[in-house]
Amino acid sequence: MEKQKVLFYDKKGNINLADISKIDSDMKIIAYNDASDKIGSLECYLTDGRIFISNIECLKKERGKGIGTALLDILDYALKDKEGIVYGIYSPHNEIDEEKTRLFYQSNGYAVVSKEEFESNRLNYTGLEEDDFNEANKKYGYSIVYKNNVKKDKYRFIEIEDFLIEQDGWGKNEKSLLHRW
């Protein structure tokens, strides 16, 4: 098993910790607040240049703070040396959440693709297969979220080792905060 730890700020300026665990082709990212409470998680698995997000969740009271965006950004970082596509089943909890869920994925670089869109523009969605939609529709009746995995020049968090860090420009005393974990 391979493990990493990263720090990230939420939109309110709170510093949070995330654990990245990789076991074979499975990966799990768990986000914690400074009280060591789990506030969100992302699970995915990797197969032949395809990264499938099987679950992403954030505590209801933590929504809107950038935790989900941070989880997707940490996933991008963890997969920075992998080529291929990242996709998942788009499944909002209800009609009220549908627009928020769509905007969340789109603001993070994902396209929300219906089977009809895929069938009329297959060349735009390299790596997706018709079976992906058949599975999504069979289980959930929803679309697919999709993006090409592209290495970024900059990430919104910092990788840490042994909870020691010195980074210019943060404007807070990170060392004392880190000892809480």
Side-chain angles (χ1 to χ4, degrees):
M1 179 180 353
E2 183 183 334
K3 286 193 140 214
Q4 282 177 284
K5 293 186 183 296
V6 296
L7 291 176
F8 65 95
Y9 280 119
D10 63 24
K11 288 182 180 178
K12 299 201 176 218
N14 300 313
I15 194 167
N16 300 284
L17 173 77
D19 280 324
I20 306 169
S21 302
K22 297 178 197 173
I23 303 172
D24 299 322
S25 62
D26 294 333
M27 183 184 310
K28 187 169 190 170
I29 303 167
I30 302 174
Y32 300 93
N33 63 17
D34 65 353
S36 298
D37 300 323
K38 180 180 168 184
I39 56 175
S41 66
L42 182 149
E43 296 177 43
C44 65
Y45 57 89
L46 297 73
T47 57
D48 301 325
R50 293 162 43 101
I51 299 102
F52 178 72
I53 299 172
S54 57
N55 189 40
I56 183 169
E57 61 187 6
C58 184
L59 288 179
K60 195 168 192 163
K61 68 180 184 176
E62 300 293 333
R63 291 184 188 157
K65 295 182 181 178
I67 306 301
T69 295
L71 289 168
L72 290 174
D73 199 44
I74 293 166
L75 175 65
D76 287 347
Y77 174 75
L79 300 172
K80 67 181 181 240
D81 296 325
K82 304 253 188 256
E83 290 186 16
I85 65 164
V86 181
Y87 73 106
I89 296 173
Y90 168 74
S91 56
H93 299 290
N94 56 50
E95 287 182 26
I96 296 169
D97 288 342
E98 185 171 355
E99 186 62 21
K100 286 181 182 179
T101 303
R102 178 180 295 278
L103 290 172
F104 166 74
Y105 281 111
Q106 288 173 337
S107 69
N108 284 288
Y110 288 78
V112 178
V113 185
S114 67
K115 187 172 182 179
E116 295 77 25
E117 169 70 16
F118 171 72
E119 288 174 348
S120 62
N121 295 303
R122 285 180 188 246
L123 295 177
N124 292 338
Y125 306 108
T126 305
L128 281 183
E129 301 169 2
E130 192 164 341
D131 283 346
D132 297 328
F133 290 92
N134 294 338
E135 190 66 22
N137 286 325
K138 183 171 72 176
K139 286 185 176 177
Y140 307 98
Y142 291 110
S143 301
I144 298 283
V145 294
Y146 164 92
K147 78 171 193 167
N148 283 306
N149 192 39
V150 178
K151 186 175 180 177
K152 297 179 182 178
D153 292 330
K154 199 172 189 179
Y155 297 90
R156 293 176 286 217
F157 59 88
I158 191 158
E159 187 175 345
I160 59 171
E161 204 171 291
D162 298 325
F163 300 115
L164 296 176
I165 185 171
E166 279 201 44
Q167 182 73 18
D168 292 333
W170 277 34
K172 289 189 175 185
N173 185 352
E174 290 78 27
K175 285 186 181 180
S176 65
L177 289 172
L178 290 174
H179 291 293
R180 295 181 191 175
W181 289 292

